[in-house]
Amino acid sequence: MTAALNNKRKRTSWWWKIPLGLLLLLLIGLAVVLLNIDSIARTQINKALDRYLVAGGNLEDINIRLMAGRVELSGLTINSPPNFGKQPLVTLDALAVDVVPLAVFSGKIVVEHVGLKGLSLNIVRDKQGDLSLMQLIPEASPAPDALPVDDKGALDPLWIPIVHINSIAVDELFFHLTDQLIGEQWSAAMHLDLIVEGLKLNDLVRRDILVNSVKLSLGDIVVDPLPGFSEDPLLAINNVQIVSSDINLGTSQVLVSEVTVDTLSASLERNAEREVNLLKVVESWMPVTEGDHGEKSDSSALASTVHSSMSIFELPTLIVENIQLKSVTAQVLDSIEGQPWRAGFDGLDLQVTGVKVGDLAQQAISLASFDLDLKGIAVDQPPGFSQAPLLAINNIALASSGIDLGNSEVTVSD
């Protein structure tokens, strides 16, 4: 009797060690994963880049701190698709995201900070009109059950979580476009810096989007001259700044505090073939209409999709409190009887306040005041006339208030 009781106690004392051992193995495995989570994540991301992108890519380093809710990426490269050049489509120096982990239990995602530095986008449009960005992902037919459906066969509405981002900082974003359809080496470029505070994406479908403040800076904007035209850039801007606060995209009005354009030069030109450089660029990027023959290019299809999407929503009225243009120069170049002809001005400064833009089809544009200072106006004589300018004005200054372009009359006070 005593021996049987001792055997039962031995078996009981042995079985309790099994769950303890399993728990210990689980903790050891979890510790190994946590210690190597950066390496595991980096390997999986690189596999995904090679699997889902036609030319693959590479991520040099990732640093994940789960308890702190911080993820850091560095050295990201996404290669351009074949036949779109050897320059990478995307390069990224660093990306850091700080998330509040416990906020998910409140039904929303709270991000303390998003910091992005050294992002370069190099978009190429080839001679067939295809964009490198649109060729990044291999074509694949979606599975029949890829989208969720309800019992009646209708698509379930897409659930989008509430996202609050306390701050966003984009430092040194470079954009470069090479358009081989217009010209083999024709390009446009700019760089961007952005600071956003208090972004709240409550409901994207209902445009329930709030922003405490935005400061956007665009610099070194250059649009190259087109082949067959002069060597003057179509457009060059030193800096554009847009500042705003308390933005609510769900309301009927969107307020922008300030828009400043510093040192702008533009050249509108018509060549000997009667082509206009600006119209040639616009027509090249316009979507193909239904009556046009052939299939739409990727860029045309993209533009058509964006236009259709925008038409669903009623655009809010835009109000800009203050607009300043500093050191603006412009010229018109033409050819008359094979001889060059020019008109333009050497300097324009403009300050406009209280700009209100509503329905453009109804010319619903008004402003509280404007002050214009125009210098160095010159118009050449046509060929066969004297060398003296047809028109030369040293300075023009205009000022007015309370202008409504929807009215049949516009009054200039000074």
Side-chain angles (χ1 to χ4, degrees):
M1 183 70 178
T2 303
L5 183 60
N6 290 335
N7 291 334
K8 183 177 181 180
R9 288 177 179 175
K10 289 180 180 179
R11 288 195 298 270
T12 303
S13 62
W14 182 80
W15 280 106
W16 72 269
K17 297 179 181 179
I18 295 178
L20 180 61
L22 293 175
L23 179 60
L24 182 60
L25 289 175
L26 179 62
L27 292 176
I28 293 174
L30 182 60
V32 171
V33 170
L34 291 176
L35 290 175
N36 296 275
I37 189 170
D38 295 346
S39 177
I40 295 172
R42 176 179 172 274
T43 301
Q44 294 303 315
I45 290 174
N46 284 326
K47 286 183 178 179
L49 291 174
D50 291 335
R51 178 179 179 183
Y52 295 108
L53 302 181
V54 292
N58 181 66
L59 177 65
E60 292 182 359
D61 188 40
I62 183 171
N63 185 8
I64 302 174
R65 285 178 275 175
L66 294 177
M67 298 303 296
R70 183 175 179 86
V71 178
E72 297 177 350
L73 304 178
S74 61
L76 174 65
T77 301
I78 296 178
N79 299 322
S80 293
N83 303 321
F84 285 94
K86 297 182 179 180
Q87 193 172 18
L89 178 67
V90 178
T91 58
L92 174 64
D93 289 343
L95 171 65
V97 180
D98 292 304
V99 182
V100 180
L102 298 180
V104 295
F105 296 104
S106 64
K108 61 184 178 182
I109 299 174
V110 178
V111 180
E112 283 290 347
H113 179 71
V114 176
L116 187 151
K117 184 175 182 180
L119 174 64
S120 295
L121 303 175
N122 299 289
I123 310 297
V124 176
R125 186 168 73 156
D126 64 14
K127 296 179 181 179
Q128 287 71 44
D130 295 325
L131 283 173
S132 57
L133 183 63
M134 305 302 293
Q135 303 295 323
L136 192 61
I137 301 176
E139 294 184 3
S141 300
D145 56 348
L147 298 176
V149 295
D150 57 19
D151 296 336
K152 298 180 180 180
L155 292 176
D156 287 342
L158 180 63
W159 178 78
I160 302 176
I162 298 174
V163 179
H164 290 181
I165 304 176
N166 294 334
S167 66
I168 301 174
V170 179
D171 188 16
E172 298 179 355
L173 186 155
F174 297 92
F175 173 82
H176 187 270
L177 169 68
T178 301
D179 192 344
Q180 298 175 354
L181 187 63
I182 294 179
E184 187 68 30
Q185 300 297 327
W186 184 85
S187 65
M190 71 173 183
H191 86 257
L192 176 150
D193 297 319
L194 174 67
I195 298 177
V196 179
E197 300 288 345
L199 173 61
K200 298 180 180 180
L201 306 175
N202 296 323
D203 192 332
L204 295 179
V205 177
R206 294 180 174 82
R207 292 194 312 184
D208 187 4
I209 302 173
L210 308 175
V211 184
N212 288 346
S213 65
V214 175
K215 184 177 180 181
L216 173 65
S217 178
L218 305 174
D220 299 331
I221 303 172
V222 178
V223 179
D224 285 349
L226 273 67
F229 293 85
S230 71
E231 296 182 356
D232 296 316
L234 176 60
L235 179 67
I237 305 176
N238 182 46
N239 183 258
V240 176
Q241 283 200 0
I242 301 175
V243 179
S244 189
S245 59
D246 298 327
I247 300 174
N248 185 353
L249 297 183
T251 62
S252 59
Q253 295 183 344
V254 174
L255 178 65
V256 176
S257 303
E258 184 176 353
V259 177
T260 303
V261 179
D262 188 8
T263 313
L264 180 152
S265 63
S267 181
L268 182 65
E269 182 177 352
R270 185 170 64 172
N271 61 16
E273 286 74 27
R274 319 308 288 171
E275 296 175 323
V276 179
N277 55 357
L278 179 59
L279 293 180
K280 190 173 181 180
V281 173
V282 173
E283 290 172 357
S284 175
W285 286 88
M286 287 290 288
V288 179
T289 60
E290 295 296 330
D292 293 336
H293 63 276
E295 297 181 355
K296 292 183 179 181
S297 65
D298 290 323
S299 58
S300 299
L302 178 62
S304 179
T305 303
V306 172
H307 182 270
S308 301
S309 302
M310 291 297 294
S311 63
I312 299 175
F313 304 102
E314 180 181 355
L315 294 178
T317 299
L318 176 64
I319 298 176
V320 185
E321 293 182 340
N322 187 32
I323 299 178
Q324 292 189 56
L325 276 67
K326 305 176 182 178
S327 302
V328 176
T329 62
Q331 65 176 359
V332 177
L333 301 178
D334 202 349
S335 176
I336 301 177
E337 297 180 357
Q339 300 297 319
W341 178 87
R342 179 189 180 276
F345 56 85
D346 296 331
L348 180 146
D349 294 322
L350 174 68
Q351 182 166 1
V352 184
T353 63
V355 180
K356 187 175 182 180
V357 181
D359 188 352
L360 294 178
Q362 302 296 324
Q363 293 184 333
I365 302 175
S366 62
L367 52 91
S369 67
F370 83 91
D371 190 346
L372 180 146
D373 188 14
L374 187 59
K375 301 181 181 69
I377 305 171
V379 179
D380 287 351
Q381 288 278 5
F385 293 85
S386 67
Q387 297 298 319
L390 175 64
L391 176 67
I393 301 176
N394 184 46
N395 181 258
I396 293 178
L398 298 175
S400 187
S401 60
I403 295 179
D404 187 351
L405 298 183
N407 293 335
S408 58
E409 295 184 356
V410 176
T411 303
V412 177
S413 57
D414 296 323

